[in-house]
Amino acid sequence: MSALTGPGDALPVRRYLDRPEAGPTVLRIVVGAQLRRLRRERGITPEAAGRAIRASHAKISRLERGQVGFKTRDLEDLLTLYGVHDPGERSDYLTLGRRANRPGWWHEYSDVLEDWFELHIGLEESAQLIRTYEVQFLPGLLQTEAYARAVTRIGYPDAPRRKIDRLVELRLARQKLLTRPDAPKLWAVVDEAVLRRPFGGPEVMRAQLEHLLAVSELPSVSLQVAPFSVGANAAAGTPVTLLRFREPDLPDKVYLEQLTGAVYLDKREDVDQYGLIMERLCAEAEPPEESREFLGELLDREY
């Protein structure tokens, strides 16, 4: 029985060989998860696997989570350690490893793109459903250029104009996924406070709210406003994004962005906990139609 297609495979690799549409981030996750399965089946610790590739157990963790690409030598050494000796099987792994290393479209922004955020863009591109809750800024996928420029300036107050321009370009490029034929479903819950913070001034906010009204009509977008009346038990208190993928083999992921980094969670108990938080938020927030009415009234009263 092939190591790639044995019984009980959590993430079978072979079927991805003929899937040219699978992006590099998905392939990294698939190959990494399969390597984790092989390692555990053979009772090999992350520390021992790390020594086999002249690295630490932390690198093994990053490889198995799909957070970094695969060096051919490292992949060959791990396959040997895990007892994968069949030339055909090794070739399959190496082929997917090379494809997983291909740069995504976002690679052209590597001059300004943080490593911890690059993974999120790849996950976003491969997602079937993106559920997000924001408490400070509007979701990047829903920002206008002027709003994006205003909030980017807050995060990078001393950055030269070129860097700000590039970061804004990257944010707008991400938004193209909402209108592509196979667009993921974006389900966004926005705290009322976000809508009342006049980033960029009244004109910028008016254009931003008008944009929200327009984009909320897209079939791929559901937008809910969480008013101040939402109870403390429902509010997450921090921005959170949950991603579900088209590939049924891939686990859901939780993305928690911080000031200078991000945390990615995929353990079932973590995903379930944040899933419950999102369910409570969606239940207590205004439904999409009422949220549109809220936006319209806010435009009339405030801007």
Side-chain angles (χ1 to χ4, degrees), residues 29 36 61 65 67 116 119-120 123 238-245 250-258 262-275 277:
I29 295 173
R36 179 173 62 242
S61 177
R65 289 179 175 272
Q67 294 178 348
W116 54 266
L119 175 60
H120 178 65
L123 293 173
T238 184
V240 57
T241 298
L242 283 75
L243 301 108
R244 178 165 295 169
F245 302 95
L250 299 185
D252 295 353
K253 286 188 178 288
V254 176
Y255 170 74
L256 303 173
E257 187 170 324
Q258 302 170 344
V263 175
Y264 296 87
L265 307 173
D266 56 15
K267 291 183 178 179
R268 174 48 53 190
E269 56 267 30
D270 293 329
V271 173
D272 288 346
Q273 179 180 357
Y274 281 98
I277 291 174

Side-chain angles (χ1 to χ4, degrees), residues 125-189:
E125 282 286 311
S126 304
Q128 180 182 46
L129 173 64
I130 304 169
R131 302 179 69 182
T132 186
Y133 171 62
E134 288 289 347
V135 296
Q136 185 172 6
F137 307 114
L138 286 167
L141 292 174
L142 299 178
Q143 294 178 8
T144 64
E145 179 177 354
Y147 183 97
R149 191 173 301 278
V151 298
T152 301
R153 272 292 180 197
I154 294 173
Y156 298 88
D158 300 321
R161 178 171 180 174
R162 171 169 171 73
K163 180 172 183 176
I164 300 298
D165 289 344
R166 294 282 288 163
L167 288 168
V168 172
E169 288 175 14
L170 172 60
R171 188 159 302 179
L172 297 179
R174 286 170 54 206
Q175 297 176 6
K176 294 179 181 178
L177 66 82
L178 295 179
T179 54
R180 71 189 188 192
D182 60 341
K185 176 70 174 181
L186 174 64
W187 189 349
V189 180

